[in-house]
Each structure stands twice: as C-alpha cells, then as structure tokens.
C-alpha cells in the first residue's frame, strides 16, 4: 500500500535539474558527505591490484596492499600528476607515472628517485591524501570527506539487509556503466517509481503491480518498495532452481534507495546495486554492479543452474537499463523548456521523499565536511 492518499508537490523546480549553481551545491552538500559504492573486492583480489575512478571531480585510486584495500586521491604531491591514468591494473609498487615517486599503504613516500634533490625533506606535504574505505558484503565504498558517520551508520538498516546479498550465496556477475545526457536526479527519480513500467518496460515487466501488492516505506534517508512476484511459469521455474541451489525462495522483490544516489534491488535470483554520479549539471554516469545467485549447496547441479541463470539475469538487467536509459535524454530536454511545476502521484511518493532530502540538504548554510 502507498503511504499517501493524495498527490504530492514536485518540490524541485526544472532549473534545479539544469543549473551550474545547483550542481555545485549538490556536490558539496549531498555528495561530499556520502559514501560511494565504487567496485567490489573481486575487482582487485591480489596484492598490487588497483582500480581508479574519475567521479565527483575527484580522481580516486583504490589499491590492494597485501590483502588490505586502501583509497587515495589519485594525485601526486610532487607536481600534481595523476598517479595512474589506468582504470584498472596491477603493479608491484604504488608509483607515480610521472617521476616515479613511490608510496606506501599509509600514503607516505617510499623510494624517491634522486631523493637528495629534495633536501630538506618536507614530510608533511609529501603524503597522498587518503580517503575512508569500508565494505558492505563485497561492495567497496569510499568516502571523500575526512569526517562523518561510518558506512554502517550511514546505511542504517540497509547495511545488514544488503551485506549478505553481495557475496556468500551470490557472486559478482557483471559491472557496467553508461554516461547519460541528463541530470543525475532524472535517473534516480526514474528508479523510484513503478508508474512508468507499462510504457517503458511493456515486455520485460508488463503491467505495474497493483497498489495492494506495492508496499512503500518512506524514511528521511532512504525509501523502500517491495512487491511479491506473480506465481507464473518463469517464477515457478526460478523457485525450483533457487531451492535446488540450497536457498529459500521468498518470491519477494525488494528495492531500496539510500539518498542521494544508491539503489539496491533484487529478487531471489539476483541482487543489483546501481549508483548515479553527477558529472555536470546536465550529465551523469550510472554504474551498476550485478550479483547472481550461486547458492550455498555445492555440486554439479547447483553449479549448472548458477551458470544457466547468470546470462539470463544479465540480459534482462541490461535490457531494463537500456529501456530506462532511452528515456533519460527526453526527460532532460523537457526539463530544459518546462513552464510547469510538476506533480507527484501516490505511486511516485518515494520521489517526494527523495526531493525532500535534496531540498533539506541544500537549505541554509551548514557546516559539512569538505574534501580535504
Ligand atoms: S608528479 Fe608524481 S612523481 Fe612527479
Ligand atoms: Fe524503469
């Protein structure tokens, strides 16, 4: 059931989806304090493995130091070069690509070519900037603010709810991302409602679930949608397979959004984390990390079922992603020219909660940690 019985105000104006000022304020007040899911531990399993990201105008480097993951600003304290330009790789030492300064896992300097040229040594200004890094299941989160809640506190009840979904009985199947010519809130708001299903996903989902089968929960920092899947042939087949793999079949579909930008969703056969990052006032990057069931029962049948399900889930997830993605530029074009206030229906009430979070975070001066 929905929480509200009457329509709600569209709290954000169209220009808040286009303006540079809004974008700057959101980077500072919404994104700098947030935790960002960037990759999985399976992306850098061996010592020396690293991944890098250019998100939130902040080059980020994550590296495996003898099994321990650390995150740094990917900028060298010598003369500001990015330490690496590679998105992914492995190297024996963390070494800057320009002059070869080396760094340890604390971010301090190791070997410096021709070190005597830098006497007297300014230790304080020669360290990498470290970021906080924590995991939820196998998902690796980074926070670019020096202070603030830890990941468990920040995710609240979503931490325990989703940690077992990324790892254990589920294994990493695919990570993909796409850039869209639209404001990041267009993407997030689309994920917060089931109203668009009949027109945008007619073949993949069919009709929208009736209100009696749509359960909403609205909290200041997150919202929930839950529905039971229909008892049709594909779902009965899924149930059979999931049970053969040693798992309980619940028939539940769960969808959570942790404001401002993280979506967790999943059925018994899969778990999906999607995260949207602004890359400008009118552009964004949408990253998805998909896990599929492998079960806890070992043996050839469970393995075969896991291998069978995986490509099917990947195909459906990417199809849904592309169906939504085709609409994003259309919504942005409309926003650029809209004279309307907009309105939010009861089925879309999670959008209202999200917009409240955005409006509250940007209202008035406040002291929030900045990128150090
Ligand atoms: S800029 Fe990195 S070693 Fe010179
Ligand atoms: Fe959709």
């Amino acid at each position: 059931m929905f929480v509200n019985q009457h329509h709600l105000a569209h709290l954000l104006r169209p220009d808040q989806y286009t303006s540079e000022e809004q974008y700057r304020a959101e980077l500072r007040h919404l994104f700098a304090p947030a935790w960002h899911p960037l990759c999985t531990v399976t992306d850098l399993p061996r010592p020396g493995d690293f991944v890098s990201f250019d998100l939130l105008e902040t080059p980020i480097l994550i590296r495996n130091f003898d099994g321990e993951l650390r995150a740094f600003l990917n900028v060298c304290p010598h003369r500001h070069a990015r330490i690496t330009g590679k998105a992914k790789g492995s190297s024996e030492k963390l070494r800057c690509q320009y002059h070869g300064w080396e760094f340890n896992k604390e971010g301090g300097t190791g070997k410096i070519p021709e070190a005597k040229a830098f006497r007297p040594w300014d230790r304080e200004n020669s360290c990498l900037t470290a970021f906080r890094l924590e995991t939820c299941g196998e998902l690796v989160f980074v926070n670019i603010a020096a202070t603030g809640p830890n990941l468990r506190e920040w995710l609240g009840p979503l931490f325990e709810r989703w940690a077992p979904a990324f790892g254990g009985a589920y294994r990493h199947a695919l990570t993909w991302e796409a850039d869209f010519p639209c404001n990041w809130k267009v993407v997030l708001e689309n994920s917060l409602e089931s109203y668009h299903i009949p027109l945008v996903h007619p073949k993949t989902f069919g009709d929208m679930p009736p209100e009696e089968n749509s359960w909403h929960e609205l909290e200041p920092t997150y919202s929930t949608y839950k529905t039971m899947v229909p008892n049709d042939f594909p779902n009965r087949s899924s149930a059979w397979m999931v049970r053969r793999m040693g798992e309980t079949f619940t028939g539940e579909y769960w969808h959570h959004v942790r404001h401002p930008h993280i979506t967790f969703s999943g059925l018994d056969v899969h778990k999906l984390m999607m995260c949207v990052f602004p890359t400008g006032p009118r552009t964004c990057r949408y990253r998805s990390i998909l896990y599929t069931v492998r079960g806890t029962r070992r043996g050839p049948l469970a393995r075969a079922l896991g291998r069978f399900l995986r490509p099917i889930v990947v195909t459906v997830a990417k199809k849904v992603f592309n169906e939504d993605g085709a609409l994003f530029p259309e919504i942005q074009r409309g926003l650029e020219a809209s004279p309307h206030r907009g309105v939010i229906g009861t089925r879309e009430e999670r959008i209202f909660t999200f917009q409240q979070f955005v409006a509250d975070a940007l209202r008035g001066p406040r002291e929030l940690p900045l990128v150090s």
Side-chain angles (χ1 to χ4, degrees), residues 246-318:
E247 299 308 299
T248 309
F249 185 81
T250 65
E252 296 170 355
Y253 172 76
W254 284 89
H255 186 286
H256 282 114
V257 164
R258 196 332 174 165
H259 306 143
H261 62 331
I262 303 173
T263 299
F264 298 104
S265 63
L267 293 161
D268 297 298
V269 292
H270 81 287
K271 308 294 169 189
L272 178 62
M273 191 292 303
M274 303 174 88
C275 192
V276 58
F277 296 93
T279 50
R282 296 174 163 96
T283 54
C284 64
R285 184 165 302 157
Y286 202 16
R287 277 182 70 74
S288 303
I289 298 180
L290 176 66
Y291 274 61
T292 53
V293 65
R294 69 170 157 197
T296 41
R297 188 174 291 163
R298 298 290 172 241
L301 177 63
R303 266 202 306 279
L305 290 173
R307 276 203 300 271
F308 170 74
L309 277 169
R310 192 175 172 202
I312 297 172
V313 174
V314 166
T315 304
V316 174
K318 292 200 86 169

Side-chain angles (χ1 to χ4, degrees), residues 76 78-81 96 98-101:
C76 182
H78 172 218
R79 279 185 33 233
H80 317 294
C96 177
Y98 197 5
H99 309 97
W101 280 28

Side-chain angles (χ1 to χ4, degrees), residues 57-360:
E57 303 190 356
T58 308
I60 299 168
L61 176 67
I62 302 176
R63 184 181 164 92
N64 182 327
F65 288 89
D66 297 323
E68 205 180 320
L69 301 186
R70 295 287 175 107
F72 299 103
L73 181 70
N74 185 15
V75 174
C76 182
H78 172 218
R79 279 185 33 233
H80 317 294
R82 279 203 301 178
I83 291 163
T84 178
K86 293 185 185 154
K88 193 174 173 62
S90 193
S91 61
E92 202 189 319
K93 298 275 184 200
L94 173 53
R95 179 185 296 129
C96 177
Q97 61 178 337
Y98 197 5
H99 309 97
W101 280 28
E102 291 179 1
F103 301 91
N104 59 35
K105 71 174 183 181
E106 316 300 338
T109 43
K111 195 169 141 229
I112 306 279
E114 207 177 44
K116 63 179 187 312
F118 293 93
R119 283 186 305 215
W121 184 241
D122 181 358
R123 189 166 300 281
E124 207 176 311
N125 292 306
S126 57
C127 288
L128 295 179
T129 302
F131 295 137
R132 289 184 289 154
L133 180 151
E134 293 186 39
T135 53
C136 174
E138 291 179 357
L139 296 179
V140 178
F141 286 71
V142 168
N143 192 312
I144 58 180
T147 57
N150 64 32
L151 179 61
R152 188 179 281 268
E153 291 162 350
W154 190 80
L155 283 175
L158 304 188
F159 186 96
E160 294 298 340
R161 177 75 185 70
W162 290 99
F166 296 93
Y170 294 84
R171 73 164 175 159
H172 182 228
L174 188 68
T175 296
W176 75 99
E177 67 177 21
D179 288 305
F180 288 106
C182 68
N183 183 272
W184 68 276
K185 298 189 288 300
V186 168
V187 172
L188 207 279
E189 291 179 354
N190 171 75
S191 82
L192 280 166
E193 50 98 345
S194 56
Y195 192 37
H196 68 274
I197 286 176
L199 264 74
V200 179
H201 310 293
K203 294 230 170 64
T204 27
F205 292 141
D207 209 352
M208 49 190 154
E211 182 175 349
E212 312 80 76
N213 188 20
S214 306
W215 179 74
H216 284 178
E217 177 189 23
L218 309 176
E219 294 289 335
T221 57
Y222 72 91
S223 69
T224 311
Y225 167 72
K226 182 194 153 192
T227 189
M228 299 299 294
V229 298
N231 185 25
D232 54 13
F233 176 71
N235 285 315
R236 283 200 299 277
S237 310
S238 296
W240 183 86
M241 288 188 268
V242 166
R243 289 189 187 114
R244 286 293 173 287
M245 297 164 85
E247 299 308 299
T248 309
F249 185 81
T250 65
E252 296 170 355
Y253 172 76
W254 284 89
H255 186 286
H256 282 114
V257 164
R258 196 332 174 165
H259 306 143
H261 62 331
I262 303 173
T263 299
F264 298 104
S265 63
L267 293 161
D268 297 298
V269 292
H270 81 287
K271 308 294 169 189
L272 178 62
M273 191 292 303
M274 303 174 88
C275 192
V276 58
F277 296 93
T279 50
R282 296 174 163 96
T283 54
C284 64
R285 184 165 302 157
Y286 202 16
R287 277 182 70 74
S288 303
I289 298 180
L290 176 66
Y291 274 61
T292 53
V293 65
R294 69 170 157 197
T296 41
R297 188 174 291 163
R298 298 290 172 241
L301 177 63
R303 266 202 306 279
L305 290 173
R307 276 203 300 271
F308 170 74
L309 277 169
R310 192 175 172 202
I312 297 172
V313 174
V314 166
T315 304
V316 174
K318 292 200 86 169
K319 187 164 187 297
V320 172
F321 184 88
N322 292 334
E323 286 169 350
D324 285 319
L327 255 293
F328 298 154
E330 297 300 318
I331 303 164
Q332 185 68 28
R333 271 186 222 125
L335 280 162
E336 304 275 345
S338 181
H340 305 296
R341 273 207 313 242
V343 61
I344 293 172
T346 52
R347 184 179 284 278
E348 303 164 298
E349 61 189 352
R350 296 174 68 204
I351 294 175
F352 181 81
T353 306
F354 163 69
Q355 293 192 352
Q356 267 181 327
F357 180 86
V358 173
D360 285 352

